[in-house]
Amino acid sequence: MSLLKDSSAMAPASASAASTSAGQAPSAGASPRGRQGWHRTLRHRSFVLGAVLTMLMLGMAAISLVWTPWSPYEVDLAAKLQPPSAVHWLGTDAFGRDILSLLMVGARNSILVGVIAVGIGMGVGTALGLLAAARKGWVEEAIMRLADFTFAFPALLLAIMLTAVFGAGIVNSIIAIGIFYIPTFARVTRASANAVWAREYILAARACGKGPWRITLEHVLPNILSVLIVQATIQFALAILAEAALSYLGLGTQPPEPSWGRMLSEAQTLMFQAPLLAVWPGVAIALAVLGLNLLGDGLRDLLDPRLARKR
């Protein structure tokens, strides 16, 4: 009898211990996995460097909304072409405007153009790519041939055409860059979606009675979202370059709004008098594009499970 009592008394204790250990197991297992993910992210030097450079650009643009060292629109001919000093940290341009203030506000305009243009290309192009992958046949053929036709008009040429009709301006630059990105995202989306449509779980979803649009929204789009994010990051960098090129030619951001490309255009006639005028916007463009490209490469490595297993 005593043995039975002892065993019965030990049973609840062992059960409670088992339940306690079972309850603690997920939290103990989840924490190392989370730490491992953070460690893998922080070990990826390209991603970290790209994130730092991108955050610096975004931070500079955000600060310019509330504060700049000097007004970027204030002309002071008495202070023109001054070298870097305690008053003007990066010097002044040919109109006496503070270079640092111009760079800060120019970053805001570059980000604005990039976000809207990539948003247009990603929104329309992703929809067309998903439609082409879901419908096949003549629909897919028509969308892809339309994309090939659009590729015949680069963003610069399209901006020149829009400028000839509607006049130069930042809006026409955004529209031209956005239209040029539509076939890019359509092709990437179609290729990635076709790979997903060939998977076994898509066949199982069809067997369960799901239609093509429901499969696209519930299974295809979530599985290609990482590819689209990486592509958007890379195209964002190219949009900054395109905006700078259009502004350099006088087709993009118009005065008095600051622009990195127009700062380069204004500095080319003063290369021997004030060479730093071309250095600062050139460095800003190079660092912004480098940061976004490194960020895109890092995201590709971190979001791709095959590359993540190798690291």
Side-chain angles (χ1 to χ4, degrees):
M1 294 292 292
S2 62
L3 292 174
L4 291 176
K5 291 180 181 180
D6 294 340
S7 62
S8 62
M10 294 173 60
S14 62
S16 62
S19 63
T20 303
S21 63
Q24 292 176 351
S27 60
S31 180
R33 283 198 297 269
R35 288 196 299 266
Q36 184 180 5
W38 276 108
H39 290 164
R40 183 168 60 85
T41 301
L42 295 177
R43 283 199 309 266
H44 199 293
R45 297 178 181 177
S46 296
F47 175 81
V48 173
L49 181 57
V52 169
L53 293 176
T54 303
M55 291 304 297
L56 286 176
M57 179 183 66
L58 295 177
M60 185 169 61
I63 293 174
S64 71
L65 293 172
V66 295
W67 176 83
T68 54
W70 296 81
S71 171
Y73 311 105
E74 181 180 349
V75 176
D76 185 8
L77 295 179
K80 67 178 183 179
L81 299 180
Q82 289 188 358
S85 63
V87 179
H88 298 282
W89 296 348
L90 300 182
T92 60
D93 66 353
F95 299 98
R97 297 173 298 181
D98 183 66
I99 296 296
L100 180 57
S101 302
L102 293 174
L103 289 176
M104 294 174 67
V105 180
R108 188 174 67 200
N109 292 330
S110 296
I111 292 173
L112 177 66
V113 172
V115 169
I116 299 178
V118 172
I120 293 173
M122 187 175 182
V124 180
T126 300
L128 291 176
L130 291 173
L131 176 63
R135 292 298 300 270
K136 303 293 183 183
W138 68 269
V139 175
E140 180 181 22
E141 189 68 20
I143 292 175
M144 290 301 101
R145 297 296 74 79
L146 180 62
D148 293 338
F149 176 77
T150 309
F151 270 127
F153 298 93
L156 183 59
L157 178 59
L158 191 58
I160 294 174
M161 295 169 57
L162 291 176
T163 300
V165 178
F166 301 105
I170 190 172
V171 176
N172 293 333
S173 299
I174 292 174
I175 295 174
I177 299 171
I179 292 176
F180 179 73
Y181 282 162
I182 290 176
T184 302
F185 279 98
R187 284 179 170 274
V188 172
T189 302
R190 170 182 168 269
S192 302
N194 282 337
V196 175
W197 275 99
R199 299 294 181 87
E200 290 78 5
Y201 56 84
I202 299 296
L203 182 61
R206 285 177 170 177
C208 293
K210 292 184 179 181
W213 303 122
R214 187 177 176 186
I215 292 175
T216 298
L217 295 177
E218 294 183 0
H219 301 285
V220 177
L221 183 58
N223 281 283
I224 67 172
L225 196 57
S226 60
V227 178
L228 296 178
I229 292 174
V230 173
Q231 187 67 25
T233 305
I234 296 174
Q235 296 302 324
F236 195 174
L238 296 178
I240 291 178
L241 276 178
E243 190 278 333
L246 292 174
S247 297
Y248 180 86
L249 296 174
L251 304 177
T253 306
Q254 297 299 301
E257 286 296 323
S259 170
W260 291 347
R262 200 174 66 255
M263 290 175 68
L264 284 174
S265 177
E266 294 171 353
Q268 67 179 349
T269 58
L270 302 169
M271 288 295 294
F272 296 101
Q273 293 178 266
L276 288 179
L277 289 181
V279 171
W280 300 125
V283 169
I285 295 172
L287 290 179
V289 174
L290 175 64
L292 288 168
N293 281 328
L294 291 176
L295 182 63
D297 291 340
L299 287 174
R300 181 197 60 192
D301 295 342
L302 294 172
L303 295 177
D304 192 333
R306 294 170 297 179
L307 296 176
R309 284 194 295 268
K310 294 179 181 180
R311 297 190 63 85

